Amino acid sequence: MAAAGKWSLGACQLGDGGSQRAVRSSAARPQFVEGSIVRVLMENFLTYDTCEVRPGPNLNMIVGANGTGKSSIVCAICLGLAGKPSFIGRADKVGLFVKQGCLKGVVEVELAKTPDNIIITREIQVVNNTSTWFINRKPTTLKTVEEQIAALNIQVDNLCQFLPQDRVGEFAKLSKIELLEATEKSVGPPEMYQFHCELKNFREKERELENLFRDKTNSLEKMRQRVERYKQDVERYHERKRHLDLIEMLERKRPWVEYENVRQQHEEVKQSRDQAKEELKNLKEMQFPVKKKIQETEEYFKNLDMKIRDKAAEIKDISQKCKQKQDALEMKDKQIEEIHQALRMKKDEEMDRQVKIHNTQKMIEEWKNELSTMAVSADLQPQTDAVNNELKKLQEERANIDSDISDLTAEKMNQKREEKRITDRLGQLNNIMNMKEENLKGKFRDTHSALMWLRNNKDKFKKKVCEPMMLEMRDHQKLRVNAVCAPAESCAESLPSRPIEELHRYGFFSYLRELFDAPHPVMSYLCSQYHVHDVPVGTEKTRNMIERVIQETKLRQIYTAEEKYIVKVSAYTNLTFSTNTSLREAQFLTSSVDTDERRQLENEQRDINNTLKSLDMHLTTLFERQKHLEHRDNELRQQKKELLERGNRRRQLESKIGVKYDSLRQLEEDAISLEDEYQQANVKIKEINTQKARLVTELMHHIKNCISLNILKADLVLQSTTVAAEKNRLESECNEGSVQLRAAEQRFCELDERKRLLTENCKELLKKAQQVCKLSPDQRLPKEFQTAFQALPTTLEEIDAFLNEEKTRASCFTGLNASVVEEYNKQIEEIQQLTEYLEEKKKELDNYKQNISQVKERWLNPLKKLIEQINGKFSNFFSSMQCVGEVDLHVENEEEYDKYGIRIRVKFHRSTELRELTPYHQSGGEKSVSTMLYLMALQELNRCPFRVVDEINQGMDPMNERRVFEMVVKTACKESTSQYFFITPKLLQNLTYNDKMTVLFVYNGPFMLEANKWNLKSFCRRRRRLGRMDEQ
């Protein structure tokens, strides 16, 4: 049930006794088309807490007031059958369809199928906007659900099958192409839409092949022309290539000649390097004994240096221990100082305790003196009771005053509301007068100016002047205003010449005076001047017999609803003649003001103002009295407080004195013995001094060890200095013999470096020569190259001269390169390939044309028959409504299969021609009728299991709505039709119904019975029983 109230859905089957079909025996179970809806369950969905709908197999009318939840059922069907939220047009997220305040919603749809029905369940999660799917209570995927639904030919995204409320207007916006596709999917055979798609694909590929064949043919012709231009360039290229081959051979031999020259230089440098190496070896053997002595000296020097570092580390360790002992001595001195400090604090604490004892004793003495001077408190209870009694009376009087103020305030509010009502009503009346004044100002400005002057100068007149007429204004204001004077004797009550009853037979119903109201002087003037009391007013009957009326009644002036008749008698011939004029439309008296009501309202307003003044005076008096009582109340409360304090002061002093005595005893118990503290401090200081003496002894021992280690370290330093001097002497002697050794090494290095460079140069030249001849590193020069090289020059100078000569000859053939021949050969090969490719595409194009012809015949002929059937039913429906409608296949180009479409043309008026159904030409009702009748034309042809149409009858006039409803009932209740859902908030009276219809009523409200407690049979039995009781 919804949060705002309980919601329920009632259903009745026409012709089966109005029973609800929640439980039905197998024998009485209706025959559902496979795929039609047997049951819809909603939980926490939109407006529903829990609701179950069981539709019938044929026409289902879902009726209910706006906002009760009809379209919620449509949304449940769409979303439960894997529809997208965007198709419904209400929201773009499925989580928005869950009832507000809930985290999960459930939609369950049961579909008819043989042998067992399919139950599809969708659980919608609000948090992450996801859905969980079940088929027959087992978890599944969305893809599986879509496959099951597609197998039953259910298309909730097809407007020809499923038309929700928010997308009714979009049906008329469908293009002809979209309408054809929707119709094919809805009522065509399964293969029809498939054939249509194949045709569009075949035609698209055929168009691509035609364009490709045409482009390739043009390319082939251009390639053949280009090959003819390349032929001469190819011949010149071959002549040039012969010179280039010779140049290439010369360039291949040249690196080999360079390599041979460098190789000979390398052999010469190699011999010189070997001789320098032998000399260097002999010099190194002579230097070996001196270097060995230097090495031994260095090892002894390093050993001494290691011992010196060890002694320095020991000295550092002992110095660190000395530092620790010194720190410990300083810590002991601090401990002695702390003991002295603690002793001083004990002294200060004892002095503070003595001061506190003295102050406490002094305070106790002062309180005792105050207590002794304080007399025993008298009996204050009578005074307290008197104050309490007066306070009680005072509070009662204040309560009465508050009640009177509340009553007067409520009365004042009521009077103000009444005053506002009267003010608003007077404002409305004044608005009418203002409208009349503005009209007067626009038509007769002088009269309006005179009216304003009159209102400002009424005190200048002796008697009443009625607006807008006035006296004696022309001379003073110079305004062009007509002013008249009422008769001295009143004529307002003058009687007519004959009673109106005598004129009833002529169609007269009243005299002119009785049809309007005016102030007494104005009415008197009108009766005297225009005899309005004796001018009758007639009806259409009077107008039809006007000649007889004039002859028999002898009336001089007559009014009817549209004309005014004036009858005159000639003074010369005594003949009677009449003139009639058409009455103009009312201009100044179209709106009137009830002066009596206005006067009464003004009197009531004055009375209310007087009442409000009286109430304000009374309230002021009450407020002053209330203020006086509050002041007296505060005085009494202060007296009561002082009396209570006087009774409590003695008890407080006695209690404080007791507390201070306890505090004094505690201070005396906390006394400190300074003598004991002195003795304890001396014992601690003596113990610390003993520890200090032990620390000083240890410190002196460490200092002695440190001195001995420093002496040993100094001896090692002297030995190290002597060894370093010996080492320097030996190195000086070795350096003198090394000069000759370095010269030999330098010569050897130079020769070795030269040999290395020549070796690398030989390798590079050999590699270059092999690369030029395209040989691998381990491959020897082939015999063909050796033979070719023998015919060429043998020196570099001869080779360079011959090479320049051949390059000059080759340069004469400019603008030619290998790409010319490659392009020529490539073009020849491409021409061959393109010729074969065109032959293949020609065969493929012929096959496509043959396939298109076959598929077109299998698609177009059934489609034309289908559209003829739709057109026949559509035309018949329109003919029954005295209108014209046609449906035909719209074709712009027979070969453009993606441009085929269904065109709907309608005519609702005889004076117009057939017009195509568009979103702009027809009215909303005409579009609704056309849409409904087209869907009805599809109903008997429809292969889909059900159709849903939501509130499509809203824009129809009653006549068209009745006709369309009868067609829906007649068509949807046939044996061969599928299930139909028709949603509407209202129905006309006395409509035609069918026994196969199912009417589902949607109710809502806070007092609705819960859905699981609703029993239609019990409700019907109770209603029949109450009916019999009423008859008795």
Side-chain angles (χ1 to χ4, degrees):
M1 296 303 156
K6 297 181 179 181
W7 295 62
S8 180
L9 183 142
C12 66
Q13 173 76 39
L14 295 180
D16 66 355
S19 63
Q20 190 176 6
R21 299 181 313 281
V23 179
R24 190 183 282 113
S25 65
S26 59
R29 180 179 177 180
Q31 296 297 323
F32 285 87
V33 177
E34 187 163 303
S36 57
I37 298 174
V38 177
R39 180 176 59 87
V40 179
L41 174 66
M42 295 166 283
E43 293 181 1
N44 298 330
F45 186 80
L46 290 178
T47 57
Y48 294 106
D49 281 346
T50 301
C51 182
E52 186 179 69
V53 182
R54 292 183 176 270
N58 297 104
L59 176 60
N60 291 275
M61 300 291 297
I62 300 179
V63 185
N66 290 327
T68 55
K70 304 184 301 302
S71 297
S72 300
I73 301 174
V74 178
C75 296
I77 294 173
C78 179
L79 297 179
L81 297 178
K84 302 295 187 296
S86 58
F87 178 75
I88 302 173
R90 285 196 173 191
D92 57 347
K93 294 182 180 179
V94 72
L96 298 176
F97 288 86
V98 178
K99 183 184 173 187
Q100 189 173 5
C102 298
L103 297 177
K104 183 180 77 170
V106 179
V107 176
E108 185 173 279
V109 181
E110 183 177 352
L111 302 176
K113 189 177 181 181
T114 305
D116 297 320
N117 292 348
I118 297 177
I119 300 176
I120 299 174
T121 306
R122 182 176 190 174
E123 292 184 357
I124 304 170
Q125 305 293 336
V126 176
V127 177
N128 50 6
N129 200 47
T130 58
S131 298
T132 306
W133 295 91
F134 302 87
I135 293 181
N136 295 329
R137 308 291 193 274
K138 295 180 180 180
T140 186
T141 62
L142 174 60
K143 184 178 180 180
T144 305
V145 173
E146 291 176 342
E147 290 173 355
Q148 291 280 356
I149 291 171
L152 296 172
N153 198 33
I154 297 174
Q155 307 167 18
V156 293
D157 58 346
N158 190 341
L159 293 181
C160 289
Q161 179 178 349
F162 198 93
L163 193 60
Q165 176 183 355
D166 297 317
R167 300 195 65 187
V168 170
E170 294 186 18
F171 186 88
K173 297 179 182 179
L174 288 177
S175 65
K176 294 185 281 292
I177 298 171
E178 294 172 338
L179 184 59
L180 173 60
E181 292 180 355
T183 304
E184 286 176 333
K185 294 177 183 177
S186 179
V187 300
E191 66 275 3
M192 178 175 286
Y193 181 69
Q194 181 180 353
F195 286 156
H196 191 184
C197 294
E198 289 179 1
L199 273 176
K200 290 189 285 187
N201 294 333
F202 284 158
R203 175 54 186 160
E204 183 65 25
K205 293 180 180 178
E206 180 189 20
R207 190 182 297 110
E208 292 176 358
L209 285 173
E210 289 175 349
N211 295 334
L212 180 63
F213 188 82
R214 183 169 54 254
D215 295 340
K216 294 298 182 181
T217 303
N218 295 334
S219 299
L220 180 61
E221 183 62 28
K222 292 178 181 179
M223 290 170 65
R224 286 173 176 169
Q225 295 174 3
R226 196 180 302 117
V227 165
E228 289 297 324
R229 292 195 302 269
Y230 286 163
K231 192 172 183 180
Q232 295 178 357
D233 293 339
V234 170
E235 293 176 354
R236 295 179 65 243
Y237 173 79
H238 287 305
E239 179 66 22
R240 177 174 175 270
K241 191 173 185 305
R242 285 193 291 271
H243 294 288
L244 294 176
D245 290 342
L246 183 57
I247 293 171
E248 183 181 2
M249 191 58 66
L250 288 169
E251 290 177 344
R252 285 178 177 176
K253 183 176 180 180
R254 192 177 189 283
W256 287 102
V257 175
E258 290 178 348
Y259 166 72
E260 186 63 24
N261 294 337
V262 175
R263 188 185 66 79
Q264 293 176 359
Q265 295 178 12
H266 175 267
E267 292 296 330
E268 296 174 356
V269 173
K270 182 179 180 183
Q271 293 177 0
S272 300
R273 171 185 167 277
D274 293 341
Q275 294 176 359
K277 184 176 181 181
E278 187 66 24
E279 293 177 359
L280 181 62
K281 180 179 179 182
N282 295 331
L283 290 173
K284 286 183 177 181
E285 289 177 354
M286 294 173 64
Q287 288 289 99
F288 180 73
V290 178
K291 288 185 177 181
K292 185 177 180 181
K293 183 67 175 176
I294 293 173
Q295 186 176 1
E296 292 175 352
T297 304
E298 286 181 351
E299 290 178 356
Y300 183 62
F301 180 78
K302 289 180 180 178
N303 189 17
L304 290 173
D305 187 62
M306 182 66 68
K307 290 180 179 180
I308 292 171
R309 284 198 296 270
D310 292 342
K311 294 300 179 182
E314 292 179 5
I315 293 170
K316 183 178 180 181
D317 184 52
I318 294 175
S319 299
Q320 185 67 27
K321 291 179 179 179
C322 291
K323 179 69 169 57
Q324 291 176 356
K325 297 301 179 180
Q326 290 175 352
D327 293 342
L329 288 172
E330 292 177 359
M331 183 61 66
K332 295 303 178 181
D333 291 337
K334 288 183 180 180
Q335 290 177 358
I336 294 172
E337 181 61 27
E338 288 175 356
I339 292 172
H340 287 302
Q341 182 67 25
L343 187 60
R344 286 194 294 272
M345 291 176 65
K346 291 292 183 178
K347 289 180 180 180
D348 294 340
E349 185 178 348
E350 178 61 19
M351 291 178 66
D352 291 340
R353 187 183 69 82
Q354 294 295 336
V355 171
K356 288 181 180 179
I357 290 173
H358 179 266
N359 292 336
T360 303
Q361 291 174 348
K362 183 179 180 181
M363 189 177 295
I364 291 172
E365 289 298 326
E366 291 176 355
W367 284 347
K368 282 183 176 181
N369 294 332
E370 183 181 355
L371 189 62
S372 62
T373 58
M374 182 181 297
V376 179
S377 60
D379 188 6
L380 302 176
Q381 189 61 35
Q383 300 180 29
T384 305
D385 293 341
V387 171
N388 287 334
N389 291 333
E390 189 174 356
L391 278 173
K392 184 176 180 181
K393 293 179 182 179
L394 201 63
Q395 290 173 357
E396 291 177 355
E397 186 176 358
R398 288 183 64 186
N400 293 333
I401 291 175
D402 290 341
S403 177
D404 293 342
I405 290 174
S406 177
D407 294 341
L408 291 175
T409 304
E411 178 64 22
K412 184 178 179 181
M413 294 300 295
N414 292 333
Q415 292 293 331
K416 285 188 175 181
R417 283 195 292 270
E418 184 66 17
E419 182 186 24
K420 184 177 183 303
R421 183 190 67 79
I422 293 172
T423 304
D424 293 342
R425 179 57 184 163
L426 286 173
Q428 295 175 0
L429 297 177
N430 290 331
N431 286 338
I432 297 174
M433 291 298 296
N434 292 336
M435 291 170 58
K436 293 173 69 176
E437 289 177 10
E438 290 297 326
N439 196 8
L440 179 65
K441 182 179 180 181
K443 298 292 184 178
F444 308 101
R445 183 172 296 275
D446 286 350
T447 305
H448 182 267
S449 300
L451 176 62
M452 295 297 104
W453 185 91
L454 171 64
R455 290 179 178 175
N456 296 328
N457 297 276
K458 283 188 176 182
D459 56 333
K460 297 181 180 180
F461 295 90
K462 295 179 179 180
K463 294 185 178 180
K464 181 179 179 181
V465 179
C466 297
E467 300 176 357
M469 300 179 181
M470 59 179 297
L471 295 173
E472 299 178 357
M473 292 295 298
R474 187 172 300 165
D475 293 338
H476 298 284
Q477 296 294 321
K478 297 182 180 181
L479 299 174
R480 300 181 63 187
V481 177
N482 292 327
V484 294
C485 204
E489 295 182 3
S490 176
C491 300
E493 307 297 335
S494 299
L495 297 176
S497 58
R498 69 190 80 180
I500 191 63
E501 290 78 7
E502 295 181 4
L503 301 176
H504 282 173
R505 56 195 180 96
Y506 300 109
F508 294 104
F509 63 90
S510 175
Y511 284 105
L512 194 59
R513 180 182 62 183
E514 316 303 331
L515 300 181
F516 66 91
D517 188 21
H520 193 275
V522 176
M523 184 65 76
S524 177
Y525 172 78
L526 293 175
C527 291
S528 173
Q529 184 70 22
Y530 298 105
H531 305 286
V532 295
H533 65 286
D534 204 24
V535 178
V537 181
T539 60
E540 188 67 23
K541 178 180 178 181
T542 309
R543 180 181 178 186
N544 294 335
M545 54 187 302
I546 190 64
E547 294 182 358
R548 178 184 169 191
V549 171
I550 293 173
Q551 292 176 1
E552 294 181 1
T553 61
K554 306 300 182 181
L555 293 170
R556 294 291 178 262
Q557 195 171 359
I558 299 171
Y559 279 88
T560 63
E562 298 178 353
E563 294 179 335
K564 169 186 176 183
Y565 296 89
I566 298 176
V567 182
K568 296 182 179 179
V569 179
S570 175
Y572 302 100
T573 62
N574 206 24
L575 295 176
T576 301
F577 61 92
S578 64
T579 60
N580 64 313
T581 57
S582 297
L583 297 178
R584 293 179 297 174
E585 293 184 0
Q587 297 182 12
F588 304 107
L589 300 179
T590 53
S591 56
S592 60
V593 178
D594 190 343
T595 56
D596 292 338
E597 181 186 3
R598 183 174 180 176
R599 191 178 304 108
Q600 182 181 357
L601 289 172
E602 291 175 348
N603 293 334
E604 291 178 359
Q605 190 177 36
R606 283 193 297 272
D607 294 341
I608 289 173
N609 289 333
N610 294 332
T611 304
L612 287 173
K613 290 179 181 178
S614 175
L615 290 173
D616 288 337
M617 293 174 62
H618 197 178
L619 281 171
T620 301
T621 303
L622 290 174
F623 283 139
E624 291 177 355
R625 179 59 180 166
Q626 186 183 43
K627 185 176 180 181
H628 173 71
L629 293 176
E630 287 178 356
H631 180 68
R632 179 58 181 162
D633 183 87
N634 293 332
E635 291 179 351
L636 292 174
R637 291 181 185 277
Q638 184 63 28
Q639 293 178 11
K640 183 178 178 180
K641 181 179 179 182
E642 292 175 355
L643 291 173
L644 293 175
E645 288 178 352
R646 286 170 60 188
N648 294 332
R649 179 59 179 170
R650 184 178 183 84
R651 288 192 296 273
Q652 290 177 356
L653 288 175
E654 293 174 350
S655 175
K656 287 181 179 180
I657 291 171
V659 171
K660 287 299 179 180
Y661 271 122
D662 293 339
S663 177
L664 185 61
R665 283 193 299 273
Q666 184 65 35
L667 288 171
E668 291 174 350
E669 291 174 358
D670 294 338
I672 298 173
S673 176
L674 294 177
E675 187 67 24
D676 295 340
E677 294 295 333
Y678 280 124
Q679 293 178 359
Q680 293 176 3
N682 290 331
V683 170
K684 291 180 180 179
I685 291 170
K686 185 177 180 180
E687 182 180 355
I688 292 171
N689 287 330
T690 304
Q691 294 174 0
K692 285 176 66 177
R694 187 168 56 253
L695 287 172
V696 169
T697 303
E698 292 176 356
L699 177 61
M700 294 303 296
H701 176 71
H702 289 316
I703 291 172
K704 290 178 180 180
N705 291 336
C706 185
I707 292 171
S708 61
L709 288 174
N710 280 315
I711 294 171
L712 293 174
K713 178 183 176 184
D715 184 43
L716 291 173
V717 169
L718 290 174
Q719 292 180 22
S720 175
T721 305
T722 303
V723 172
E726 181 64 19
K727 175 187 171 188
N728 291 334
R729 184 184 65 80
L730 292 173
E731 287 177 350
S732 177
E733 292 178 358
C734 182
N735 289 336
E736 293 176 357
S738 298
V739 173
Q740 188 178 0
L741 180 64
R742 283 196 296 273
E745 287 178 348
Q746 184 176 1
R747 183 170 178 273
F748 172 76
C749 290
E750 290 175 355
L751 291 172
D752 188 63
E753 179 67 17
R754 186 177 178 189
K755 173 184 172 294
R756 186 184 64 78
L757 293 175
L758 289 172
T759 302
E760 292 179 356
N761 196 9
C762 285
K763 290 180 180 179
E764 290 178 358
L765 290 173
L766 178 60
K767 184 178 180 181
K768 180 180 179 182
Q770 290 174 341
Q771 288 178 349
V772 170
C773 295
K774 298 180 180 179
L775 301 175
S776 60
D778 55 348
Q779 187 178 0
R780 297 178 61 84
L781 188 66
K783 290 184 178 180
E784 59 268 19
F785 282 116
Q786 295 177 7
T787 304
F789 287 168
Q790 290 176 0
L792 298 176
T794 57
T795 64
L796 290 176
E797 291 78 7
E798 292 174 349
I799 290 173
D800 290 339
F802 196 17
L803 191 60
N804 290 331
E805 181 181 352
E806 289 300 317
K807 287 182 177 180
T808 302
R809 290 177 180 177
S811 64
C812 295
F813 299 93
T814 58
L816 298 175
N817 51 42
S819 63
V820 176
V821 179
E822 292 177 2
E823 184 67 23
Y824 178 78
N825 295 331
K826 183 179 178 182
Q827 291 291 333
I828 294 295
E829 185 179 355
E830 288 181 356
I831 288 173
Q832 181 64 27
Q833 293 176 354
L834 188 55
T835 303
E836 295 174 357
Y837 179 77
L838 286 175
E839 292 177 357
E840 294 177 0
K841 291 302 175 183
K842 184 69 170 62
K843 293 179 182 178
E844 187 177 352
L845 182 59
D846 294 338
N847 290 335
Y848 269 112
K849 289 183 178 180
Q850 186 177 359
N851 291 336
I852 288 174
S853 177
Q854 295 174 356
V855 176
K856 180 179 180 181
E857 183 178 356
R858 298 169 64 185
W859 169 71
L860 190 57
N861 293 335
L863 178 61
K864 288 181 178 179
K865 292 180 181 179
L866 178 64
I867 294 177
E868 287 177 2
Q869 294 175 351
I870 296 173
N871 180 48
K873 297 183 180 298
F874 189 73
S875 300
N876 292 337
F877 288 149
F878 262 82
S879 298
S880 64
M881 297 177 61
Q882 287 79 43
C883 301
V884 180
E886 291 182 0
V887 178
D888 60 359
L889 183 64
H890 180 75
V891 181
E892 295 180 358
N893 184 350
E894 291 188 359
E895 301 300 325
E896 301 296 333
Y897 303 105
D898 55 345
K899 300 295 178 62
Y900 278 62
I902 288 181
R903 179 174 61 180
I904 301 176
R905 296 191 299 164
V906 294
K907 182 175 76 170
F908 287 90
H909 308 286
R910 294 181 179 179
S911 59
T912 61
E913 297 180 354
L914 277 172
R915 290 189 120 179
E916 185 177 344
L917 180 63
T918 65
Y920 315 107
H921 291 156
Q922 289 78 19
S923 66
E926 292 173 347
K927 286 186 286 189
S928 297
V929 171
S930 303
T931 302
M932 194 66 185
L933 295 185
Y934 184 79
L935 296 179
M936 293 311 302
L938 302 182
Q939 178 67 13
E940 295 184 10
L941 305 173
N942 198 0
R943 64 184 182 87
C944 62
F946 66 87
R947 176 175 285 111
V948 177
V949 179
D950 190 0
E951 296 193 17
I952 198 172
N953 59 331
Q954 292 306 295
M956 301 182 190
D957 57 69
M959 183 180 296
N960 285 334
E961 184 177 354
R962 184 178 298 277
R963 291 172 177 174
V964 170
F965 182 82
E966 292 175 354
M967 294 178 191
V968 171
V969 173
K970 181 179 179 181
T971 305
C973 292
K974 292 182 179 180
E975 291 292 339
S976 59
T977 57
S978 57
Q979 194 179 36
Y980 199 97
F981 289 88
F982 187 86
I983 292 89
T984 178
K986 59 162 179 81
L987 287 175
L988 300 175
Q989 296 181 355
N990 302 321
L991 293 173
T992 302
Y993 296 93
N994 190 288
D995 292 344
K996 295 182 179 180
M997 289 175 57
T998 300
V999 181
L1000 302 169
F1001 295 98
V1002 183
Y1003 307 98
N1004 71 347
F1007 304 106
M1008 283 299 301
L1009 190 65
E1010 296 183 6
N1012 55 5
K1013 296 181 181 179
W1014 175 269
N1015 191 317
L1016 187 59
K1017 291 183 179 179
S1018 300
F1019 177 78
C1020 293
R1021 284 196 301 269
R1022 181 173 177 271
R1023 185 68 190 89
R1024 287 195 293 269
R1025 185 171 62 253
L1026 292 175
R1028 287 194 297 269
M1029 292 174 62
D1030 293 340
E1031 291 176 359
Q1032 294 175 0

